[in-house]
């Protein structure tokens, strides 16, 4: 069977059960776009290539397939870079396909030529510059394997235009055999038994759940662990999506804007069983003072993470699900009720709270959580609203929190919501955003409408980059620089300028429930705008004392501990 390189690309996607491609056409990918007319794969035309990568990320994170994005050479390829980096930092499997100038022109600074494999080298698991059309089937077979195994992440495939047009004799690809790439999925059994013994001897253990547990899809195994080991549970920002946030012994997110109880518990515990958390700086803050009295058990698919940021006493390289498959059957029921009571006292003394006199983001998010029963897919941009969502939206179902954690990418939420909505057409999909981050990619409203996606935007508008303002409040002696928007649009009118949309504005506390219910049930793409104050600060907050390796952790009124 003779086929073209372009046809080989489409066939590889079909063979990997790809139903959607998020992309933007251009000269260097015209053969691929022509071949798309001969397949059932649906192309979603975004308004900016960055959004294609984010949408593919949202799709990948909430489905059983790998997200795929497609862009032309030069600026089309470079516009993907932020989306690729976002996926890399959050371990999201992604296939990024870019066009390239013809092979005879590579290296000549031709029109729209850029060395995209070189540019993305630090932010991909692997990349390919295709030099022979006959290699395409095996390259794609390998790329999907690399992206979706081990610590997952993006793979870039750069295909010159003439390669797309070249005809060759098709040969079925073989099972990937990649020298030097052999991820370990299963734990050392003796190490599992050691961990069982030290947990049984522990008096104040913690279960710390990270984003790796989400990608492992080990939700049932975690429930079994929680039934057997009645110990305090904490999560990272990304780990919130792994568990039911309403468990009695769940004390919230730790770290910079985590709960007082979680940060207290970290510093008082004698053992941390970390499942898929990488101990990043937002969680640990000052590493010299982090969990000084604790034995650290760190289970992670990526051996490079073990001991990288925090000294690990018992490292385990394993998929989290496989670790729990070995650990759960051998562990007896353990009850740490007294330890839980100690933390609960502090949690009750210093709960997550907000001003109930004036309308504010936590108040609206709290009501949104109640009215959706914690079951919606929540996407966020990056800013104060992201932290408020993490603090006040308690998920009753796992795998529902879609946010940019590692890179902190403004403009991520709306295109990611498009990918989530395409992958889950019957679900309620909400994007929580600020006026700064919405304007990064607001043109994707048109993409959502073309796809008939009734996404709900909850916009907290303060005409400011308020998380930066908060940083300047604490770190620059309240000297505010470069953060005010003096020419914001009327966002309701902006959304209503598109056909078949709705827009509401909440001005008073009494309107909150009514507007949310209308927005959730109107079947349309909807904006809910809430005008808020620039004086809002995400509390609690940890702040390092200048010149001293110590943290103050306070809620705006008093030091918590």
């Amino acid at each position: 069977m003779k086929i073209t390189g372009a046809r080989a690309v489409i066939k590889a996607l079909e063979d990997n059960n790809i139903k959607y491609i998020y992309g933007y056409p251009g000269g260097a990918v015209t053969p691929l776009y022509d071949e798309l007319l001969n397949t059932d794969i649906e192309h979603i035309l975004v308004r900016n290539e960055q959004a294609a990568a984010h949408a593919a990320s949202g799709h990948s994170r909430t489905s059983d397939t790998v997200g795929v994005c497609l862009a032309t050479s030069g600026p089309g390829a470079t516009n993907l870079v932020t989306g690729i980096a976002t996926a890399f930092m959050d371990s999201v499997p992604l296939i990024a396909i870019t066009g390239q100038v013809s092979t005879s022109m590579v290296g000549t600074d031709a029109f729209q030529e850029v060395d995209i494999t070189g540019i993305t080298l630090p932010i991909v698991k692997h990349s390919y510059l295709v030099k022979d059309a006959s290699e395409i089937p095996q390259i794609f077979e390998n790329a999907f394997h690399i992206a979706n195994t081990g610590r997952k992440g993006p793979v870039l495939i750069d295909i010159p235009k003439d390669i797309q047009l070249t005809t060759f004799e098709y040969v079925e690809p073989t099972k990937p055999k990649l020298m030097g790439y052999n991820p370990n999925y299963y734990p050392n059994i003796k190490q599992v038994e050691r961990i069982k013994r030290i947990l049984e001897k522990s008096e104040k253990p913690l279960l710390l759940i990270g984003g790796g547990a989400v990608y492992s899809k080990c939700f049932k195994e975690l429930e079994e662990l929680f039934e057997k080991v009645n110990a305090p549970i904490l999560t990272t920002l990304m780990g919130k999506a792994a568990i039911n946030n309403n468990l009695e012994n769940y004390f919230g997110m730790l770290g910079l804007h985590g709960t007082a109880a979680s940060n207290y518990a970290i510093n008082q515990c004698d053992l941390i069983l970390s499942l898929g958390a990488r101990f990043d700086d937002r969680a640990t803050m000052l590493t010299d003072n982090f969990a000084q009295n604790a034995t650290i058990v760190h289970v992670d698919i990526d051996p490079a993470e073990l001991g990288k940021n925090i000294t690990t006493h018992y490292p385990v390289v394993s998929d989290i699900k496989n670790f729990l498959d070995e650990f759960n059957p051998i562990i007896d029921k353990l009850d740490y009720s007294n330890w839980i009571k100690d933390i609960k006292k502090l949690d009750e003394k210093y709960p997550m709270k907000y001003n109930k006199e004036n309308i504010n983001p936590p108040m609206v998010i709290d009501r949104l959580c109640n009215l959706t029963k914690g079951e919606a897919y929540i996407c966020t941009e990056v800013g104060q609203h992201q932290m408020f969502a993490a603090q006040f939206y308690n998920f009753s179902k796992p795998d529902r929190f879609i946010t940019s954690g590692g890179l902190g990418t403004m403009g991520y939420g709306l295109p990611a919501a498009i990918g989530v909505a395409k992958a889950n057409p019957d679900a309620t999909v909400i994007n929580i955003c600020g006026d700064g981050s919405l304007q990064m990619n607001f043109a994707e409203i048109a993409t959502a409408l073309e796809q008939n996606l009734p996404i709900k935007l909850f916009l907290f508008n303060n005409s400011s980059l308020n998380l930066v303002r908060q940083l300047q409040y604490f770190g620059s002696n309240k000297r505010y620089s470069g953060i005010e928007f003096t020419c914001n649009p009327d966002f309701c009118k902006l959304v209503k300028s598109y056909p078949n949309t709705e827009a509401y504005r909440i001005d008073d506390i009494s309107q909150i429930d009514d507007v949310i219910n209308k927005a959730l049930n109107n079947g349309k793409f909807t904006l809910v705008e809430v005008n808020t104050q620039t004086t809002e600060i995400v509390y609690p907050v940890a702040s390092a004392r200048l010149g001293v390796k110590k943290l103050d952790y306070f809620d705006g009124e008093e030091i918590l501990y």
Side-chain angles (χ1 to χ4, degrees), residues 101-118:
V101 299
S102 295
T103 51
S104 62
M105 303 297 289
V106 171
T108 68
D109 292 332
F111 175 68
Q112 290 194 334
E113 180 194 0
V114 72
D115 179 12
I116 193 62
T117 55

Side-chain angles (χ1 to χ4, degrees), residues 64 71 88 96 122 132 159 172 193-194 209 214 216 249 273 285 318 348 371 378 394 398 415 443 475 485 522 528:
D64 294 325
F88 182 78
D132 186 332
I159 313 174
E172 287 285 345
E193 292 170 349
R194 290 189 191 100
I209 313 301
V214 180
S216 180
N249 53 333
L273 175 55
M285 296 172 289
S318 174
E348 291 170 351
L371 292 170
I378 300 295
N394 294 313
F485 293 114
N522 62 22
V528 175

Side-chain angles (χ1 to χ4, degrees), residues 419-446:
V420 173
K422 287 297 290 185
N424 305 273
D426 297 324
T428 299
V429 180
I430 296 168
N431 181 44
I432 295 176
C433 55
D435 50 307
S437 50
L438 178 61
Q439 291 181 89
M440 290 275 186
N441 269 321
F442 80 84
E444 300 309 320
I445 292 171

Side-chain angles (χ1 to χ4, degrees), residues 33-211:
Y33 271 83
D34 184 67
E35 194 60 47
L36 278 171
L37 297 173
N38 302 321
T39 179
D40 290 332
I41 295 174
E42 181 183 348
H43 176 264
I44 291 92
L45 176 62
V46 296
R47 297 312 189 258
N48 182 288
E49 290 89 353
Q50 182 189 130
H54 293 331
S57 167
H59 193 116
S60 184
R61 290 171 67 164
T62 57
S63 71
D64 294 325
T65 58
V66 174
V68 178
C69 55
L70 173 60
T72 192
S73 63
T78 57
N79 279 347
L80 285 178
V81 169
T82 297
I84 293 171
T86 302
F88 182 78
M89 289 289 283
D90 286 341
S91 307
V92 178
L94 196 71
I95 301 294
I97 305 169
T98 54
Q100 185 54 276
V101 299
S102 295
T103 51
S104 62
M105 303 297 289
V106 171
T108 68
D109 292 332
F111 175 68
Q112 290 194 334
E113 180 194 0
V114 72
D115 179 12
I116 193 62
T117 55
I119 288 171
T120 57
L121 189 62
I123 55 170
V124 294
K125 284 190 72 177
H126 197 62
S127 59
Y128 296 92
L129 172 59
V130 183
K131 299 178 180 179
D132 186 332
S134 66
E135 296 177 349
I136 289 175
Q138 192 63 52
I139 283 174
F140 272 82
E141 188 74 12
N142 294 348
F144 274 93
H145 175 71
I146 293 168
N148 207 29
T149 55
R151 181 173 180 175
K152 300 177 183 183
V155 175
L156 175 80
I157 305 174
D158 194 33
I159 313 174
K161 187 173 182 178
D162 61 318
I163 297 295
Q164 298 170 41
L165 294 168
T166 300
T167 301
F168 67 97
E169 188 70 32
Y170 179 82
V171 176
E172 287 285 345
T174 60
K175 185 177 179 180
K177 293 181 180 179
L178 304 171
M179 188 176 296
Y181 182 73
N182 187 28
N184 183 68
Y185 290 99
Y186 296 94
N188 181 295
I189 299 302
K190 290 185 178 179
Q191 191 75 323
V192 174
E193 292 170 349
R194 290 189 191 100
I195 294 166
K196 170 187 178 293
R197 291 194 293 271
I198 65 166
L199 179 59
E200 289 172 342
K201 293 178 182 178
S202 170
E203 295 180 358
K204 294 181 176 182
L206 289 178
L207 305 176
L208 175 59
I209 313 301

